[in-house]
Amino acid sequence: MDGVVARRSPGSALKPFIYGLALDQGLIHPRTLLRDSKASFGEYNPENFDRGFAGPISASEALYRSRNIPAVSLTQRLAAPGLYGFMKQAGVALPKSADHYGLSLPLGGGEVTMEELAGLYSLLLDDGRPRPLRYLHEKVKEGAPQQIAEPLLTPEACFLVRDMLTLREGDDAAFDDPNVHWKTGTSHRFRDAWAAGMRGDYVLVVWIGNFDGRANPAFVARECAAPLLFETYRRLRLPLKESPPPAGVERIELCAVSGQMPTPHCQHRLHGWFIPGVSPVTPCDIHREILVDPLTHLRVLRDDGTRELQREVHEFWTPDLLELFRQAGVPRREAPALEPGSAPSLAGGDSRTAPRIVSPRPALVYTIRASDPSHRTISLLAETSAGVRKVFWFAGQQFLGASEPAKPLSWEPRAGKWTVQVMDDRGQSSSCHIRVEMVE
């Protein structure tokens, strides 16, 4: 049994390439906040390895901590050819179609060989161009042209991904080489444990498993494959090559909370990398200065000179993100409520963006099973601006009910075509069209 060419599930070892593609496509920069929360992607309901959720988390931490939901969500947002097309272009012989793997591909739903995985990480270490591996015993004809493919990732994205895979302070003592950029992967039901590392000019891939595919609960990559990876690098004593940042990246000051460009109201800051002209960097809209009446502790829209007011900086999170923080055990302090009589739509600094319907999804056909109570309803959910406390749902002219923005409302529709509308407590609204079919 040749373990180097045997096809095995890579678990999470493909996630760095999702983030590399997302960086190049301008979907994220390393400090972009992503959602790590319970999510459904059609019929697919992925979970994290620890069965928990971290709430809002930076892209860098989501990759390093190998969170599943952000990776699947990013994969869904990638432009063509997506992760599947990237892997095929990089020389991975995926035997099935993209539809066969669907969104399970970023979590190990497709099988790769150790050779293919080493080739992928070599691409990350170099200039983003896929090159076939050459073994030392192979003879290369002198003067034979070396075919070099087009780059699949830019040098900027490769550099940022390597930086995102760098050791963190407080990691296990076994991971003691800060020059190693690494990622692990544990396959479904503990059949395979992988660790892939990059150090200087060298890529190292470790696989632990049974050749007959038998599972073993001890095959947790971070606990068995990763220590072996670092121990091997330590014993090989490979020379270290400096890898300066490419000219196309810059390091700038960012708000430590939102990951965006700081305003004068952002007290905590850090430095992070981004790709000018590509990365989605905007001024922070989380921290805002407001007026507060010290006697009532309520928010005031304007200073009319009749009383003493205090200027305070508060965080303004959208209701869905506030709920994610709460679920993750990291509650954020909300801004004071507006004093009675204030017009919410004129709240100083608040965004007036209309709510965005997350569920139902527009133009889809929803099938309702009349005989199954668990399949008779559709969840209504919308993302809203910060400060919105209530949303109101309608189907045609029918009022369906009100709910808090981060909590879904259940609707039991009849068959037919529907225009679903949501309106927030500031009067902003949006709608979508769906069709409902009824089956027994």
Side-chain angles (χ1 to χ4, degrees):
M1 176 67 73
D2 189 344
V4 176
V5 296
R7 309 199 70 80
R8 316 294 295 232
S9 167
S12 296
L14 298 179
K15 287 178 181 173
F17 309 100
I18 300 167
Y19 284 80
L21 291 167
L23 288 163
D24 266 343
Q25 294 180 18
L27 301 179
I28 59 169
H29 60 79
R31 293 288 174 177
T32 297
L33 283 183
L34 302 178
R35 288 171 167 83
D36 180 25
S37 61
K38 188 174 182 180
S40 296
F41 302 87
E43 297 282 326
Y44 188 43
N45 301 290
E47 290 184 328
N48 287 310
F49 184 80
D50 60 4
R51 308 286 183 179
F53 301 101
I57 185 174
S58 74
S60 183
E61 285 299 310
L63 173 57
Y64 190 77
R65 294 169 58 185
S66 202
R67 309 306 293 176
N68 288 343
I69 309 303
V72 175
S73 180
L74 278 178
T75 303
Q76 188 180 46
R77 295 168 58 194
L78 291 176
L83 178 62
Y84 176 87
F86 167 85
M87 292 176 65
K88 293 287 281 188
Q89 291 172 1
V92 179
L94 292 169
K96 305 287 186 179
S97 68
D99 289 339
H100 172 82
Y101 300 109
L103 289 175
S104 71
L105 190 58
L107 307 186
E111 296 182 329
V112 302
T113 69
M114 182 177 274
E115 279 186 330
E116 291 170 342
L117 198 61
L120 287 171
Y121 277 83
S122 298
L123 175 156
L124 267 185
L125 189 58
D126 199 15
D127 56 7
R129 297 177 186 269
R131 293 178 174 86
L133 299 183
R134 274 210 331 258
Y135 285 89
L136 295 179
H137 68 266
E138 291 180 340
K139 293 183 179 179
V140 181
K141 295 180 181 178
E142 291 194 21
Q146 296 297 312
Q147 199 170 24
I148 300 179
E150 289 296 313
L152 302 182
L153 291 174
T154 64
E156 290 78 15
C158 292
F159 169 80
L160 293 181
V161 169
R162 294 198 305 271
D163 187 66
M164 293 163 75
L165 294 175
T166 302
L167 285 165
R168 301 293 196 270
E169 187 176 346
D171 253 323
D172 193 296
F175 313 143
D176 58 356
D177 189 341
N179 298 303
V180 175
H181 314 287
W182 62 298
K183 184 72 188 75
T184 58
T186 302
S187 69
H188 184 56
R189 295 183 179 174
F190 307 102
R191 290 189 173 94
D192 310 272
W194 297 85
M198 298 165 283
R199 185 185 187 278
D201 278 334
Y202 299 89
V203 169
L204 180 63
V205 176
V206 171
W207 170 78
I208 293 177
N210 290 311
F211 286 118
D212 60 5
R214 282 181 297 113
N216 186 327
F219 294 164
V220 177
R222 189 178 180 87
E223 297 175 7
C224 60
L228 182 55
L229 176 86
F230 278 86
E231 177 66 16
T232 305
Y233 268 127
R234 193 158 44 244
R235 289 175 180 264
L236 287 174
R237 301 180 182 275
L238 298 170
L240 183 62
K241 175 186 174 183
E242 292 295 328
S243 180
V249 299
E250 290 185 19
R251 194 168 174 82
I252 59 171
E253 190 175 55
L254 298 169
C255 172
V257 177
S258 68
Q260 296 300 318
M261 294 186 68
T263 68
H265 306 312
C266 300
Q267 298 179 353
H268 303 288
R269 307 182 182 197
L270 47 73
H271 285 83
W273 296 102
F274 84 117
I275 307 174
V278 177
S279 298
V281 180
T282 58
C284 174
D285 64 349
I286 299 298
H287 296 100
R288 306 176 194 171
E289 187 179 69
I290 61 173
L291 296 171
V292 177
D293 187 330
L295 297 179
T296 63
H297 302 290
L298 295 176
R299 185 177 171 202
V300 180
L301 289 184
R302 61 184 63 84
D303 187 355
D304 58 9
T306 62
R307 51 185 164 170
E308 292 290 331
L309 299 175
Q310 296 177 345
R311 292 186 176 274
E312 300 179 1
V313 173
H314 285 264
E315 294 180 2
F316 283 77
W317 296 95
T318 57
D320 59 318
L321 287 178
L322 278 175
E323 179 64 17
L324 292 187
F325 277 122
R326 187 192 65 77
Q327 293 175 5
V330 190
R332 312 297 296 194
R333 186 166 69 97
E334 294 190 58
L338 282 166
E339 63 180 358
S342 300
S345 62
L346 300 177
D350 279 358
S351 169
R352 297 187 63 185
T353 304
R356 184 179 73 87
I357 296 176
V358 176
S359 175
R361 294 175 61 186
L364 288 187
V365 177
Y366 285 81
T367 302
I368 304 298
R369 296 187 179 277
S371 59
D372 186 352
S374 65
H375 286 82
R376 288 180 191 166
T377 62
I378 295 175
S379 288
L380 306 176
L381 185 64
E383 293 179 352
T384 66
S385 300
V388 171
R389 298 178 184 274
K390 190 78 73 175
V391 291
F392 307 90
W393 290 94
F394 302 84
Q397 301 299 314
Q398 178 185 0
F399 174 60
L400 302 179
S403 65
E404 296 178 22
K407 296 184 178 178
L409 180 73
S410 290
W411 169 41
E412 190 170 329
R414 301 187 309 274
K417 294 181 178 180
W418 293 95
T419 298
V420 178
Q421 182 180 25
V422 61
M423 183 174 70
D424 63 26
D425 54 15
R426 301 174 181 180
Q428 303 292 307
S429 66
S430 61
S431 62
C432 72
H433 302 284
I434 65 168
R435 192 167 89 238
V436 176
E437 294 181 348
M438 191 74 67
V439 297
E440 291 299 326

